[in-house]
PDB file of all heavy atoms in Angstrom:
ATOM      1  N   GLU K1054     -10.949 -20.126  -2.458  1.00 96.00           N
ATOM      2  CA  GLU K1054     -12.253 -19.494  -2.261  1.00 96.00           C
ATOM      3  C   GLU K1054     -12.195 -18.004  -2.574  1.00 96.00           C
ATOM      4  O   GLU K1054     -13.117 -17.454  -3.198  1.00 96.00           O
ATOM      5  CB  GLU K1054     -12.744 -19.715  -0.833  1.00 96.00           C
ATOM      6  CG  GLU K1054     -13.151 -21.136  -0.547  1.00 96.00           C
ATOM      7  CD  GLU K1054     -13.497 -21.379   0.914  1.00 96.00           C
ATOM      8  OE1 GLU K1054     -13.649 -20.406   1.675  1.00 96.00           O
ATOM      9  OE2 GLU K1054     -13.603 -22.552   1.302  1.00 96.00           O
ATOM     10  N   LEU K1055     -11.136 -17.337  -2.142  1.00 96.00           N
ATOM     11  CA  LEU K1055     -10.999 -15.909  -2.418  1.00 96.00           C
ATOM     12  C   LEU K1055     -10.835 -15.638  -3.906  1.00 96.00           C
ATOM     13  O   LEU K1055     -11.396 -14.671  -4.433  1.00 96.00           O
ATOM     14  CB  LEU K1055      -9.808 -15.316  -1.661  1.00 96.00           C
ATOM     15  CG  LEU K1055     -10.076 -14.902  -0.226  1.00 96.00           C
ATOM     16  CD1 LEU K1055      -8.782 -14.476   0.450  1.00 96.00           C
ATOM     17  CD2 LEU K1055     -11.091 -13.778  -0.156  1.00 96.00           C
ATOM     18  N   GLU K1056     -10.078 -16.480  -4.599  1.00 98.00           N
ATOM     19  CA  GLU K1056      -9.907 -16.310  -6.045  1.00 98.00           C
ATOM     20  C   GLU K1056     -11.238 -16.491  -6.765  1.00 98.00           C
ATOM     21  O   GLU K1056     -11.571 -15.735  -7.684  1.00 98.00           O
ATOM     22  CB  GLU K1056      -8.858 -17.285  -6.575  1.00 98.00           C
ATOM     23  CG  GLU K1056      -7.449 -16.906  -6.147  1.00 98.00           C
ATOM     24  CD  GLU K1056      -6.421 -18.003  -6.369  1.00 98.00           C
ATOM     25  OE1 GLU K1056      -6.793 -19.153  -6.712  1.00 98.00           O
ATOM     26  OE2 GLU K1056      -5.226 -17.716  -6.187  1.00 98.00           O
ATOM     27  N   GLN K1057     -12.019 -17.483  -6.343  1.00 98.00           N
ATOM     28  CA  GLN K1057     -13.338 -17.693  -6.942  1.00 98.00           C
ATOM     29  C   GLN K1057     -14.250 -16.506  -6.664  1.00 98.00           C
ATOM     30  O   GLN K1057     -14.987 -16.049  -7.545  1.00 98.00           O
ATOM     31  CB  GLN K1057     -13.973 -18.973  -6.409  1.00 98.00           C
ATOM     32  CG  GLN K1057     -13.318 -20.230  -6.896  1.00 98.00           C
ATOM     33  CD  GLN K1057     -13.873 -21.479  -6.226  1.00 98.00           C
ATOM     34  OE1 GLN K1057     -14.694 -21.403  -5.319  1.00 98.00           O
ATOM     35  NE2 GLN K1057     -13.408 -22.638  -6.668  1.00 98.00           N
ATOM     36  N   TYR K1058     -14.218 -16.011  -5.428  1.00 98.00           N
ATOM     37  CA  TYR K1058     -15.046 -14.858  -5.064  1.00 98.00           C
ATOM     38  C   TYR K1058     -14.657 -13.634  -5.885  1.00 98.00           C
ATOM     39  O   TYR K1058     -15.515 -12.906  -6.388  1.00 98.00           O
ATOM     40  CB  TYR K1058     -14.928 -14.554  -3.566  1.00 98.00           C
ATOM     41  CG  TYR K1058     -15.644 -13.286  -3.176  1.00 98.00           C
ATOM     42  CD1 TYR K1058     -17.038 -13.223  -3.178  1.00 98.00           C
ATOM     43  CD2 TYR K1058     -14.933 -12.140  -2.830  1.00 98.00           C
ATOM     44  CE1 TYR K1058     -17.699 -12.059  -2.836  1.00 98.00           C
ATOM     45  CE2 TYR K1058     -15.589 -10.972  -2.494  1.00 98.00           C
ATOM     46  CZ  TYR K1058     -16.974 -10.937  -2.500  1.00 98.00           C
ATOM     47  OH  TYR K1058     -17.624  -9.780  -2.179  1.00 98.00           O
ATOM     48  N   ARG K1059     -13.347 -13.415  -6.049  1.00 98.00           N
ATOM     49  CA  ARG K1059     -12.853 -12.273  -6.822  1.00 98.00           C
ATOM     50  C   ARG K1059     -13.360 -12.358  -8.264  1.00 98.00           C
ATOM     51  O   ARG K1059     -13.869 -11.374  -8.814  1.00 98.00           O
ATOM     52  CB  ARG K1059     -11.325 -12.247  -6.793  1.00 98.00           C
ATOM     53  CG  ARG K1059     -10.709 -11.026  -7.438  1.00 98.00           C
ATOM     54  CD  ARG K1059      -9.182 -11.134  -7.451  1.00 98.00           C
ATOM     55  NE  ARG K1059      -8.553  -9.877  -7.761  1.00 98.00           N
ATOM     56  CZ  ARG K1059      -8.516  -9.337  -8.983  1.00 98.00           C
ATOM     57  NH1 ARG K1059      -9.076  -9.948  -9.992  1.00 98.00           N
ATOM     58  NH2 ARG K1059      -7.908  -8.169  -9.168  1.00 98.00           N
ATOM     59  N   ASP K1060     -13.227 -13.520  -8.868  1.00 98.00           N
ATOM     60  CA  ASP K1060     -13.698 -13.712 -10.243  1.00 98.00           C
ATOM     61  C   ASP K1060     -15.202 -13.490 -10.349  1.00 98.00           C
ATOM     62  O   ASP K1060     -15.687 -12.837 -11.276  1.00 98.00           O
ATOM     63  CB  ASP K1060     -13.347 -15.110 -10.754  1.00 98.00           C
ATOM     64  CG  ASP K1060     -11.852 -15.307 -10.960  1.00 98.00           C
ATOM     65  OD1 ASP K1060     -11.104 -14.303 -11.035  1.00 98.00           O
ATOM     66  OD2 ASP K1060     -11.425 -16.486 -11.049  1.00 98.00           O
ATOM     67  N   ARG K1061     -15.947 -14.042  -9.388  1.00 98.00           N
ATOM     68  CA  ARG K1061     -17.407 -13.894  -9.398  1.00 98.00           C
ATOM     69  C   ARG K1061     -17.806 -12.431  -9.227  1.00 98.00           C
ATOM     70  O   ARG K1061     -18.711 -11.936  -9.912  1.00 98.00           O
ATOM     71  CB  ARG K1061     -18.028 -14.767  -8.302  1.00 98.00           C
ATOM     72  CG  ARG K1061     -19.543 -14.857  -8.400  1.00 98.00           C
ATOM     73  CD  ARG K1061     -20.135 -15.853  -7.410  1.00 98.00           C
ATOM     74  NE  ARG K1061     -19.963 -15.400  -6.041  1.00 98.00           N
ATOM     75  CZ  ARG K1061     -19.240 -16.018  -5.116  1.00 98.00           C
ATOM     76  NH1 ARG K1061     -18.603 -17.135  -5.397  1.00 98.00           N
ATOM     77  NH2 ARG K1061     -19.152 -15.539  -3.894  1.00 98.00           N
ATOM     78  N   LEU K1062     -17.128 -11.712  -8.341  1.00 98.00           N
ATOM     79  CA  LEU K1062     -17.411 -10.296  -8.115  1.00 98.00           C
ATOM     80  C   LEU K1062     -17.221  -9.497  -9.404  1.00 98.00           C
ATOM     81  O   LEU K1062     -18.079  -8.689  -9.777  1.00 98.00           O
ATOM     82  CB  LEU K1062     -16.507  -9.749  -7.004  1.00 98.00           C
ATOM     83  CG  LEU K1062     -16.643  -8.263  -6.668  1.00 98.00           C
ATOM     84  CD1 LEU K1062     -18.043  -7.946  -6.157  1.00 98.00           C
ATOM     85  CD2 LEU K1062     -15.597  -7.870  -5.631  1.00 98.00           C
ATOM     86  N   ILE K1063     -16.116  -9.750 -10.081  1.00 97.00           N
ATOM     87  CA  ILE K1063     -15.856  -9.039 -11.340  1.00 97.00           C
ATOM     88  C   ILE K1063     -16.907  -9.395 -12.383  1.00 97.00           C
ATOM     89  O   ILE K1063     -17.499  -8.503 -13.015  1.00 97.00           O
ATOM     90  CB  ILE K1063     -14.436  -9.356 -11.864  1.00 97.00           C
ATOM     91  CG1 ILE K1063     -13.386  -8.730 -10.942  1.00 97.00           C
ATOM     92  CG2 ILE K1063     -14.265  -8.855 -13.298  1.00 97.00           C
ATOM     93  CD1 ILE K1063     -11.963  -9.176 -11.233  1.00 97.00           C
ATOM     94  N   ASN K1064     -17.150 -10.683 -12.576  1.00 97.00           N
ATOM     95  CA  ASN K1064     -18.101 -11.122 -13.604  1.00 97.00           C
ATOM     96  C   ASN K1064     -19.511 -10.606 -13.347  1.00 97.00           C
ATOM     97  O   ASN K1064     -20.181 -10.126 -14.267  1.00 97.00           O
ATOM     98  CB  ASN K1064     -18.107 -12.647 -13.713  1.00 97.00           C
ATOM     99  CG  ASN K1064     -16.815 -13.184 -14.281  1.00 97.00           C
ATOM    100  OD1 ASN K1064     -16.101 -12.494 -15.002  1.00 97.00           O
ATOM    101  ND2 ASN K1064     -16.491 -14.425 -13.943  1.00 97.00           N
ATOM    102  N   GLU K1065     -19.966 -10.675 -12.101  1.00 97.00           N
ATOM    103  CA  GLU K1065     -21.313 -10.207 -11.784  1.00 97.00           C
ATOM    104  C   GLU K1065     -21.418  -8.691 -11.911  1.00 97.00           C
ATOM    105  O   GLU K1065     -22.432  -8.172 -12.371  1.00 97.00           O
ATOM    106  CB  GLU K1065     -21.720 -10.669 -10.390  1.00 97.00           C
ATOM    107  CG  GLU K1065     -21.979 -12.158 -10.317  1.00 97.00           C
ATOM    108  CD  GLU K1065     -22.310 -12.654  -8.914  1.00 97.00           C
ATOM    109  OE1 GLU K1065     -22.370 -11.840  -7.967  1.00 97.00           O
ATOM    110  OE2 GLU K1065     -22.500 -13.877  -8.766  1.00 97.00           O
ATOM    111  N   THR K1066     -20.360  -7.993 -11.514  1.00 97.00           N
ATOM    112  CA  THR K1066     -20.364  -6.536 -11.630  1.00 97.00           C
ATOM    113  C   THR K1066     -20.428  -6.111 -13.090  1.00 97.00           C
ATOM    114  O   THR K1066     -21.212  -5.220 -13.457  1.00 97.00           O
ATOM    115  CB  THR K1066     -19.116  -5.934 -10.954  1.00 97.00           C
ATOM    116  OG1 THR K1066     -19.151  -6.262  -9.565  1.00 97.00           O
ATOM    117  CG2 THR K1066     -19.063  -4.427 -11.116  1.00 97.00           C
ATOM    118  N   LEU K1067     -19.623  -6.736 -13.919  1.00 96.00           N
ATOM    119  CA  LEU K1067     -19.615  -6.377 -15.340  1.00 96.00           C
ATOM    120  C   LEU K1067     -20.923  -6.749 -16.025  1.00 96.00           C
ATOM    121  O   LEU K1067     -21.424  -6.004 -16.877  1.00 96.00           O
ATOM    122  CB  LEU K1067     -18.424  -7.030 -16.040  1.00 96.00           C
ATOM    123  CG  LEU K1067     -17.054  -6.513 -15.603  1.00 96.00           C
ATOM    124  CD1 LEU K1067     -15.945  -7.257 -16.340  1.00 96.00           C
ATOM    125  CD2 LEU K1067     -16.931  -5.012 -15.811  1.00 96.00           C
ATOM    126  N   SER K1068     -21.484  -7.878 -15.646  1.00 97.00           N
ATOM    127  CA  SER K1068     -22.761  -8.298 -16.213  1.00 97.00           C
ATOM    128  C   SER K1068     -23.867  -7.312 -15.834  1.00 97.00           C
ATOM    129  O   SER K1068     -24.669  -6.896 -16.686  1.00 97.00           O
ATOM    130  CB  SER K1068     -23.102  -9.699 -15.723  1.00 97.00           C
ATOM    131  OG  SER K1068     -24.369 -10.088 -16.181  1.00 97.00           O
ATOM    132  N   THR K1069     -23.895  -6.931 -14.581  1.00 96.00           N
ATOM    133  CA  THR K1069     -24.896  -5.974 -14.110  1.00 96.00           C
ATOM    134  C   THR K1069     -24.689  -4.619 -14.770  1.00 96.00           C
ATOM    135  O   THR K1069     -25.659  -3.958 -15.171  1.00 96.00           O
ATOM    136  CB  THR K1069     -24.834  -5.838 -12.574  1.00 96.00           C
ATOM    137  OG1 THR K1069     -25.069  -7.124 -11.999  1.00 96.00           O
ATOM    138  CG2 THR K1069     -25.858  -4.843 -12.064  1.00 96.00           C
ATOM    139  N   ALA K1070     -23.451  -4.193 -14.894  1.00 95.00           N
ATOM    140  CA  ALA K1070     -23.148  -2.907 -15.523  1.00 95.00           C
ATOM    141  C   ALA K1070     -23.611  -2.899 -16.976  1.00 95.00           C
ATOM    142  O   ALA K1070     -24.161  -1.900 -17.456  1.00 95.00           O
ATOM    143  CB  ALA K1070     -21.656  -2.622 -15.442  1.00 95.00           C
ATOM    144  N   GLN K1071     -23.402  -4.010 -17.666  1.00 95.00           N
ATOM    145  CA  GLN K1071     -23.818  -4.100 -19.063  1.00 95.00           C
ATOM    146  C   GLN K1071     -25.333  -3.978 -19.185  1.00 95.00           C
ATOM    147  O   GLN K1071     -25.845  -3.249 -20.033  1.00 95.00           O
ATOM    148  CB  GLN K1071     -23.340  -5.412 -19.673  1.00 95.00           C
ATOM    149  CG  GLN K1071     -23.619  -5.526 -21.154  1.00 95.00           C
ATOM    150  CD  GLN K1071     -23.065  -6.807 -21.749  1.00 95.00           C
ATOM    151  OE1 GLN K1071     -22.756  -7.750 -21.028  1.00 95.00           O
ATOM    152  NE2 GLN K1071     -22.949  -6.848 -23.058  1.00 95.00           N
ATOM    153  N   ARG K1072     -26.047  -4.676 -18.298  1.00 95.00           N
ATOM    154  CA  ARG K1072     -27.516  -4.604 -18.326  1.00 95.00           C
ATOM    155  C   ARG K1072     -28.009  -3.204 -17.982  1.00 95.00           C
ATOM    156  O   ARG K1072     -29.022  -2.745 -18.508  1.00 95.00           O
ATOM    157  CB  ARG K1072     -28.119  -5.628 -17.371  1.00 95.00           C
ATOM    158  CG  ARG K1072     -28.045  -7.056 -17.883  1.00 95.00           C
ATOM    159  CD  ARG K1072     -28.925  -8.003 -17.081  1.00 95.00           C
ATOM    160  NE  ARG K1072     -28.688  -7.968 -15.650  1.00 95.00           N
ATOM    161  CZ  ARG K1072     -27.802  -8.717 -14.992  1.00 95.00           C
ATOM    162  NH1 ARG K1072     -27.039  -9.554 -15.648  1.00 95.00           N
ATOM    163  NH2 ARG K1072     -27.675  -8.613 -13.691  1.00 95.00           N
ATOM    164  N   ALA K1073     -27.295  -2.523 -17.090  1.00 94.00           N
ATOM    165  CA  ALA K1073     -27.689  -1.172 -16.668  1.00 94.00           C
ATOM    166  C   ALA K1073     -27.100  -0.091 -17.576  1.00 94.00           C
ATOM    167  O   ALA K1073     -27.298   1.093 -17.338  1.00 94.00           O
ATOM    168  CB  ALA K1073     -27.249  -0.929 -15.234  1.00 94.00           C
ATOM    169  N   LYS K1074     -26.362  -0.537 -18.570  1.00 95.00           N
ATOM    170  CA  LYS K1074     -25.721   0.374 -19.527  1.00 95.00           C
ATOM    171  C   LYS K1074     -24.775   1.354 -18.835  1.00 95.00           C
ATOM    172  O   LYS K1074     -24.752   2.542 -19.112  1.00 95.00           O
ATOM    173  CB  LYS K1074     -26.765   1.096 -20.367  1.00 95.00           C
ATOM    174  CG  LYS K1074     -27.574   0.119 -21.188  1.00 95.00           C
ATOM    175  CD  LYS K1074     -28.548   0.785 -22.102  1.00 95.00           C
ATOM    176  CE  LYS K1074     -29.257  -0.344 -22.841  1.00 95.00           C
ATOM    177  NZ  LYS K1074     -30.284   0.023 -23.701  1.00 95.00           N
TER     178      LYS K1074
END
Side-chain angles (χ1 to χ4, degrees):
E1054 289 174 12
L1055 276 174
E1056 288 167 351
Q1057 289 174 355
Y1058 174 70
R1059 186 184 194 285
D1060 291 343
R1061 190 173 67 244
L1062 178 62
I1063 291 170
N1064 292 335
E1065 289 177 1
T1066 298
L1067 293 179
S1068 176
T1069 301
Q1071 185 177 17
R1072 285 193 307 271
K1074 298 184 180 176

